[in-house]
Amino acid sequence: MKTLCLPADDMGILYGAELLKKGELVAFPTETVYGLGASALDAAAVARIFAAKGRPQDNPLIAHVPGLVEAEEFAHFTPLARDLAAAFWPGPLTLVLRRKPPIPQAVSAGLDTLALRAPSHPVARELIKASGLPIAAPSANRSGRPSPTLAQHVMEDLDGIIPLVLDGGACDLGLESTVVDARGRVPLVLRPGSVTPEMIALVSGSCHTTESVLRPLKEQESAPSPGMRHVHYAPRARMSLVEGSPENCRTLLARLAGGQEKTWVLALDGFLDGLPGVQVISLGKDEQEAARRLFYLLRAADQGGITRIYAKALPRDGLGLAVMNRLARAAGFDIINADLIEKP
Ligand code: TXA
Ligand code: MG
């Protein structure tokens, strides 16, 4: 199949909407990452998403809608879910609720719940509007690879496999949406993102975060969100996270990465200034920049033939938690505590 990569202008969006109505796949930009869309009302189209990505059949998809009114057609909204939608939609928040019949089981991989999100990116919004459909869309990467934040990343993974990529430039936020189970009275964050637990608690009074955000699931443990079972974001390089006091982290990283070829250390600006022989790659000046850059850098490491990556841990609050979740998963949860090794 020939894959067209077109600018996400009026013409491109109109063509994308036509393809979606015919049951075809279209990759499109959102404010978080690029999505790989299909009509959420068409089980055969949804099956194409799983095939194109090589996605495990048990991992459900997010349905993208214009807003709350449409979302209520597809799921049972709780008072909590309405409050969260009012506060954060359109935007990078996905709500997991009890599914209603119009959406086929294929979208939610057989679960009786459905994940819903109203994106804020103008291209995503116009594509939903022009197609008149709820759009089922996971991130537009091959399963296991870092999520795409540029149209070029989608082409790297899916060229020849899907008919159309709409190029809307770089994604603003760079990390996938916050996924929240909003079926009860207290929200439960299943996947952290740009809408932080702290922001959610301001709306709902409290907010829980599933424990397995920063550690692997145990063998017998049930996955609150099926996506947590699967390998994610893995670069080809072996990767480790390094945490501990700044002093101990610096000492350890200098020892591990100093003078090593094809080895990167990812850290926020300034942290590793003046460490000799260490190839430091900046994650940016703060968590926000780190979120925007992370997937781009993991893909760049692959292209540069990097074989070893160390990442300096970020604070685990606010947006830091979302970045840490992706770093920890990319590292297969290999987290080194410098304080235990360096003992000042
Ligand atoms: O920002 C985003 O969320 C992007 C853009 C395209 O919207 N989409 C995205 O989709 O990241 P995906 O499929 O890569 O990740 C969706 C996550 C998965 O971890 C999946 O397991 C979880 O949401 N999920 C989807 N439906 C669910 C459900 N009914 N219950 C629990 N978790 C669910
Ligand atoms: Mg994904």
Side-chain angles (χ1 to χ4, degrees):
M1 179 183 297
K2 168 112 181 85
T3 301
L4 288 180
C5 186
L6 299 178
D9 55 15
D10 291 354
M11 297 296 283
I13 290 171
L14 218 57
Y15 180 48
E18 288 309 314
L19 288 174
L20 289 173
K21 284 192 258 184
K22 282 195 280 188
E24 302 286 342
L25 305 187
V26 177
F28 63 97
T30 82
E31 70 276 24
T32 57
V33 300
Y34 275 75
L36 177 59
S39 166
L41 300 177
D42 180 342
V46 168
R48 288 205 178 98
I49 293 181
F50 284 85
K53 282 185 58 105
R55 183 176 177 100
Q57 295 292 336
D58 67 348
N59 197 0
L61 308 176
I62 299 171
H64 296 70
V65 291
L68 181 60
V69 174
E70 297 78 6
E72 296 225 28
E73 283 176 45
F74 304 126
H76 297 276
F77 269 66
T78 55
L80 167 68
R82 286 199 191 96
D83 288 348
L84 294 177
F88 300 113
W89 279 6
L93 176 73
T94 295
L95 297 171
V96 171
L97 294 162
R98 271 176 51 232
R99 184 167 52 87
K100 285 185 182 173
I103 301 279
Q105 276 208 356
V107 174
S108 52
L111 298 177
D112 62 1
T113 53
L114 177 67
L116 283 156
R117 170 161 113 83
S120 65
H121 195 292
V123 172
R125 297 191 67 73
E126 278 166 37
L127 187 65
I128 295 168
K129 195 168 137 207
S131 66
L133 294 165
I135 300 180
S139 49
N141 49 284
R142 289 279 301 170
S143 204
R145 298 261 295 146
S147 295
T149 55
L150 291 173
Q152 182 199 321
H153 296 159
V154 182
M155 290 300 277
E156 278 166 26
D157 282 16
L158 298 173
D159 190 11
I161 298 176
I162 62 173
L164 178 65
V165 179
L166 291 174
D167 185 348
C171 299
D172 252 11
L173 301 174
L175 290 186
E176 309 89 340
S177 61
T178 308
V179 179
V180 173
D181 185 338
R183 287 176 294 172
R185 253 187 274 242
V186 179
L188 175 65
V189 173
L190 305 177
R191 178 178 72 183
S194 297
V195 174
T196 64
E198 293 86 343
M199 289 160 70
I200 292 170
L202 284 180
V203 173
S204 58
S206 59
C207 179
H208 294 161
T209 299
T210 167
E211 254 185 75
S212 40
V213 156
L214 292 177
R215 62 154 175 79
L217 282 168
K218 294 171 193 133
E219 193 77 19
Q220 303 302 328
E221 195 174 8
S222 76
S225 178
M228 301 176 79
R229 277 243 171 269
H230 304 294
V231 179
H232 245 80
Y233 317 120
R236 281 185 268 277
R238 196 178 144 216
M239 183 163 162
S240 306
L241 256 166
V242 175
E243 64 178 8
S245 76
E247 256 327 288
N248 288 340
C249 286
R250 283 170 60 88
T251 312
L252 181 66
L253 284 165
R255 198 147 51 75
L256 294 174
Q260 297 299 312
E261 290 201 359
K262 299 192 184 302
T263 299
W264 276 5
V265 175
L266 304 178
L268 291 180
D269 281 349
F271 182 76
L272 292 169
D273 283 351
L275 278 195
V278 176
Q279 199 177 350
V280 182
I281 305 293
S282 170
L283 280 170
K285 66 176 187 316
D286 55 19
E287 285 81 2
Q288 220 154 348
E289 282 192 6
R292 202 176 298 136
R293 280 184 204 182
L294 178 62
F295 291 146
Y296 177 95
L297 290 175
L298 293 181
R299 282 176 180 263
D302 279 352
Q303 271 163 356
I306 299 302
T307 55
R308 192 75 174 94
I309 301 174
Y310 298 97
K312 163 72 176 73
L314 269 53
R316 294 173 176 201
D317 55 0
L319 186 53
L321 181 70
V323 179
M324 280 292 284
N325 167 258
R326 304 323 188 266
L327 283 171
R329 302 198 60 166
F333 298 100
D334 183 27
I335 304 180
I336 304 171
N337 186 337
D339 295 342
L340 297 180
I341 297 174
E342 295 302 330
K343 296 204 188 84

